[in-house]
DNA sequence: TAGATTGTTAATCGATTAACAATC
DNA sequence: TAGATTGTTAATCGATTAACAATC
């Protein structure tokens, strides 16, 4: 499994393949071709084959891909085969909604700590986690080996939270606040705010 | 304002520029250069200029862009200068969290209706909106001229909801369910699910 | 005028798609 | 064997960046 130079576009598609394959697993489907995957995902089969081929030879000519095997391989590639701990900063409505995102799955990627500043909320239980004061962030990141931070605080506080997450050693940030953040080049930042998505959709809905 | 052939990448960046410019407005900053914007957004200034130039000549050589004017222009381009109604399907935690996303802004893009199937929830108020049964969807889309649908139902129901939204005449869908949806080519679909984002981030957090 | 910055063309870079030999 | 489908190279397509004349 050598990695010549994987583009972000490729990495972003792997979870999509994974999800589709897991659905096939539930249906007890053993084997799938890039053509069939392409149909289900509305994608070009050549692209799917090429994406997978960056990481190894996972298929069999004339047959296709063995679903179980490919699921395992993609999990390995994405590092979802080992535990990945996530911190959630901001226990508002959105934070609470996201906090139970994998409560019912056996994923190794999971939320390990929740933070806020509101004294009313601190000490409160959300699922099995106690909301902690944000001053516990640095200690907690160390303690739980947290690698990813999710930011669901109001926009004006988001950059400050990002700075603290980076300082604490987090390597990936998923930002839900409607603001553009700046982080060092070694930290991976993804934006997931509704506003931007809706504004982009608005462009396309003219008659 | 002629539009030769605008790529999705360009459209996705416009809301980011808009948000940054609105922040500058709050600071009473009158004028900004593509270089300064690039600094704030960690982007190449040439790209910003080129993106904007697709839609017109908004800047002044030697000066830069007038902030207020550019805000208005981008709003026009994105069609945020007229009202855009959104339907939210799925009044779970995430749906409720998203429902008040613009409660405190004066945006013309706003959520006009909320749907669910749970009898316990129907009739309940969320902000100023009453949760309706999903069978009201088609009628409500007509009545409120709804153009965009946001899907926050459990994954197994998401495709069914998408089909109904499309059937009802919606032209844009923002899907939060962790599943790949298929829609006709004239409907614009964006995925906003946390799972995919976190899985992609997991790839980058190896040591 | 000198300095700054746009709009735009040309050059570069990268990503997607088509095609096909290899092979199950 | 014949048909199917991969992995991969080559061709195409599109997006980003650099450079610079125009001009405020």
């Amino acid at each position: 499994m050598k990695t010549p130079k994987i583009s972000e576009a490729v990495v972003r598609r792997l979870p999509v393949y994974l999800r589709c394959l897991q659905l096939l697993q539930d249906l007890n489907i053993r084997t799938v071709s890039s053509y069939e995957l392409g149909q289900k995902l509305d994608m070009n089969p050549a692209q799917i084959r090429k994406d997978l081929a960056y990481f190894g030879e996972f298929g069999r000519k004339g047959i296709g891909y063995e679903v179980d095997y490919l699921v395992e391989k993609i999990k390995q590639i994405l590092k979802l085969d080992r535990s990945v701990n996530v911190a959630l900063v901001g226990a508002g409505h959105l934070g609470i909604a996201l906090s139970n995102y994998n409560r019912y799955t056996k994923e190794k990627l999971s939320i390990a700590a929740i933070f806020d500043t509101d004294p009313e909320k601190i000490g409160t239980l959300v699922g099995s986690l106690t909301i902690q004061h944000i001053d516990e962030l640095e200690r907690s990141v160390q303690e739980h080996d947290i690698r990813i931070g999710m930011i669901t605080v109001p926009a004006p506080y988001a950059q400050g939270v990002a700075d603290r997450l980076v300082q604490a050693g987090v390597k990936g940030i998923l930002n839900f606040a409607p603001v553009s953040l700046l982080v060092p080049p070694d930290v991976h930042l993804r934006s997931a705010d509704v506003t931007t998505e809706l504004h982009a959709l608005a462009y396309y809905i003219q008659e």
Side-chain angles (χ1 to χ4, degrees), chain A:
Chain A
M1 198 195 297
K2 37 80 191 291
T3 48
K5 186 68 170 304
I6 309 300
S7 79
E8 201 188 309
V10 173
V11 175
R12 298 263 311 282
R13 286 192 292 266
L14 293 177
V16 176
Y17 302 152
L18 176 61
R19 203 165 57 187
C20 187
L21 290 163
Q22 286 173 325
L23 242 41
L24 294 174
Q25 276 186 319
D26 292 344
L27 299 169
N28 290 311
I29 289 166
R30 289 285 169 75
T31 268
V32 70
S33 69
S34 61
Y35 175 81
E36 291 168 313
L37 276 177
Q39 290 283 308
K40 288 180 189 299
L41 298 173
D42 193 19
M43 289 178 59
N44 185 310
Q47 180 166 68
I48 297 174
R49 293 201 298 279
K50 196 163 207 296
D51 284 352
L52 296 172
Y54 282 116
F55 303 96
E57 305 200 358
F58 302 141
R60 289 208 296 169
K61 293 182 172 68
I63 309 289
Y65 300 90
E66 214 246 292
V67 176
D68 288 347
Y69 180 71
L70 192 51
V71 163
E72 287 314 307
K73 280 299 173 187
I74 295 179
K75 279 186 180 174
Q76 278 173 30
I77 295 162
L78 294 174
K79 278 138 199 125
L80 297 173
D81 56 341
R82 59 205 85 168
S83 76
V84 179
N85 290 325
V86 179
L88 177 58
V89 185
H93 283 113
L94 184 58
I96 303 295
L98 297 176
S99 73
N100 52 21
Y101 110 98
N102 70 341
R103 182 134 4 130
Y104 307 108
T105 70
K106 58 208 173 323
E107 268 208 61
K108 300 209 172 151
L109 187 152
S110 66
I111 295 170
I114 305 186
F115 303 92
D116 206 301
T117 50
D118 183 349
E120 298 268 305
K121 289 177 182 163
I122 289 156
T124 302
L125 267 170
V126 176
S128 57
L129 296 168
T130 306
I131 298 177
Q132 296 177 272
H133 191 277
I134 197 166
D135 286 343
E136 304 286 322
L137 181 70
E138 290 76 8
R139 205 188 42 70
S140 196
V141 166
Q142 288 285 320
E143 185 185 324
H144 296 103
D145 189 29
I146 286 168
R147 299 293 179 86
I148 295 177
M150 294 171 77
I151 301 180
T152 55
V153 302
Y157 303 103
Q159 182 65 58
V161 168
D163 293 344
R164 287 184 78 164
L165 283 166
V166 168
Q167 191 59 40
V170 153
K171 289 293 170 224
I173 290 181
L174 184 51
N175 176 41
F176 291 83
V179 63
S180 296
L181 302 181
L182 294 174
V183 297
D186 64 313
V187 175
H188 284 267
L189 173 68
R190 290 277 310 152
S191 172
D193 81 289
V194 202
T195 314
T196 311
E197 297 289 346
L198 285 178
H199 284 185
L201 274 181
Y203 174 83
Y204 292 107
I205 57 150
Q206 77 256 55
E207 9 253 61

